[in-house]
């Protein structure tokens, strides 16, 4: 079974959302892929996803409320076939950790654009944009069979 780890900074906004969206998309296609998410930082270890990520996921019939944040580590390289960062800073932090081939989600359908960090967003609208960007990128990732 193939495996994918999604990585952002805190593992409370973007990457748990990507994990939840990916789970639904793979399940809908009857594909079995191991999925997880992690943060490059340690501030939020053990925390649930941020309320707006839980909310936007729920609006799309996805429950991410039971996920808990953890920090990425070098051992993850051996455990996952694909490690996919949400933005360029995350990708650089993964390289600095020694992970050799981190991908970036925006490379699939968004010409390498970053999935923006929503932590300081004051409105909910940004979370819907992030949801759409993650969904579209994952759709390209799956339809072009990058996961094989
Ligand atoms: P995430 O968002 O990387 O999408 O989970 C953030 C969460 C927390 C912080 C930054 C971004 N923070 O600085 O604590």
């Amino acid at each position: 079974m193939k495996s994918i780890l999604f990585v952002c900074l805190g593992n409370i906004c973007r990457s748990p959302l990507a994990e939840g969206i990916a789970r639904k998309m793979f399940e809908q296609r009857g594909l079995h892929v191991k999925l997880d998410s992690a943060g490059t930082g340690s501030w939020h270890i053990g925390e649930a996803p941020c309320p707006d990520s839980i909310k936007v996921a729920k609006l799309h019939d996805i429950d991410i409320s039971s996920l808990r944040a953890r920090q990425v580590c070098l051992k993850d390289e051996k455990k996952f076939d694909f490690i996919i960062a949400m933005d360029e800073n995350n990708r650089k932090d993964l390289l600095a950790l020694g992970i050799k081939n981190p991908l970036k989600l925006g490379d699939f359908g968004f010409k390498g654009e970053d999935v923006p960090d929503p932590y300081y967003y004051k409105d909910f609208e940004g979370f819907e944009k992030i949801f759409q960007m993650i969904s579209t990128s994952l759709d390209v990732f799956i339809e072009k069979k990058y996961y094989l």
Side-chain angles (χ1 to χ4, degrees), residues 7-17 38-44 47 49-50 53 69 86-87 90 115-120 127 130:
V7 176
C8 62
L9 181 59
N11 193 210
I12 53 168
C13 299
R14 292 164 292 176
S15 60
L17 194 52
T40 56
S42 61
W43 310 282
H44 299 282
E47 288 180 24
C50 65
S53 283
M86 294 296 125
D87 67 28
N90 308 148
V115 177
D117 182 344
Y119 193 58
Y120 300 104
F127 282 81
I130 286 172

Side-chain angles (χ1 to χ4, degrees), residues 17-80:
L17 194 52
E19 179 183 346
I21 296 170
R23 180 153 291 121
K24 183 174 181 181
M25 292 177 93
F26 281 114
E27 271 175 17
Q28 280 175 336
R29 290 163 173 80
L31 298 167
H32 299 283
V33 176
K34 181 177 123 185
L35 300 163
D36 195 7
S37 63
T40 56
S42 61
W43 310 282
H44 299 282
I45 291 173
E47 288 180 24
C50 65
D52 282 334
S53 283
I54 292 177
K55 182 175 161 187
V56 76
K58 202 171 174 194
L59 286 171
H60 294 268
D61 214 18
I62 298 169
D63 182 7
I64 60 167
S65 63
S66 63
L67 298 180
R68 294 295 177 264
R70 74 168 179 92
Q71 190 172 23
V72 67
C73 62
L74 191 51
K75 279 186 185 163
D76 284 317
E77 179 161 60
K78 289 202 169 52
K79 293 187 191 158
F80 293 93

Side-chain angles (χ1 to χ4, degrees), residues 69-111:
R70 74 168 179 92
Q71 190 172 23
V72 67
C73 62
L74 191 51
K75 279 186 185 163
D76 284 317
E77 179 161 60
K78 289 202 169 52
K79 293 187 191 158
F80 293 93
D81 297 301
F82 303 96
I83 299 186
I84 305 182
M86 294 296 125
D87 67 28
E88 195 53 31
N89 285 333
N90 308 148
R91 208 181 68 83
K92 283 186 182 144
D93 287 343
L94 288 168
L95 282 169
L97 191 65
I99 289 173
K100 287 182 200 72
N101 190 27
L103 305 172
K104 193 160 93 165
L105 191 62
D107 285 334
F108 306 97
F110 281 87
K111 295 180 180 155

